Amino acid sequence: MHGFFIISGCSGGGKSTLLAELARRGFATIEEPGRRVVREELASGGGALPWIDGATFARRITALAKQDYDDARALPGPVFFDRGLIDAAVALEHLTGETVLADLAAGYRYSSPAFLAPPWPELFASDAERRHDFASAVAEYDRLAAAYPALGYDVILLPKVSVAERLAFVLEQVGMS
């Protein structure tokens, strides 16, 4: 494995745009589990959606993030994840009170540093898959910003700059510039 790098942080903070640019440049990327589950549930009329049944949604994204991690072992590195198991476990703990984060995080370790996209109100927009408001996104960010260092990750905040500048920043931080 050449490195599994997490790009996490605030919803609507530019993570998916950065991952799309990494993919366009030929890097292996893993799409955000939550978005995939939401699309699937909306298409099938299912109820495992964060605004209908948050606990079931969190369990689904946790299982999907584990599968993503296992599947990524076959990819050439580095691999960049748009969110991942830690984000899913933080959501599961928040929504259910179950204590799963430490055990899951120990068995599925990502490379350090972890990149966090800070709240960026000018970018944030709700859509069919993201129905929460900015205040909820910031609350989620705060939980993640506490979880990653508590799990021993060095955390680097992504600068609020253009996509090209963010890309160069991330590649420099992981030694690929």
Side-chain angles (χ1 to χ4, degrees), residues 64-153:
L64 185 54
K66 285 165 115 176
Q67 187 63 54
D68 287 344
Y69 188 99
D70 290 338
D71 291 348
R73 291 179 178 160
L75 297 173
V79 179
F80 294 92
F81 291 77
D82 188 346
R83 299 195 182 268
L85 189 56
I86 294 167
D87 295 56
V90 166
L92 185 59
E93 283 194 355
H94 172 70
L95 292 167
T96 67
E98 297 173 27
T99 52
V100 298
L101 179 59
D103 287 341
L104 288 174
Y108 294 84
R109 189 83 185 156
Y110 296 90
S111 299
S112 203
F115 296 95
L116 291 185
W120 197 344
E122 296 82 6
L123 283 187
F124 182 85
S126 295
D127 59 33
E129 297 172 3
R130 180 190 301 134
R131 297 186 183 180
H132 56 275
D133 61 14
F134 185 67
S136 298
V138 171
E140 175 192 38
Y141 171 81
D142 290 342
R143 289 187 294 275
L144 294 168
Y148 276 94
L151 295 168
Y153 287 91

Side-chain angles (χ1 to χ4, degrees), residues 13-31:
K15 296 177 305 300
S16 297
T17 302
L18 174 59
L19 268 286
E21 185 61 19
L22 284 161
R24 193 179 76 70
R25 301 280 179 105
F27 291 98
T29 61
I30 306 296
E31 185 183 3

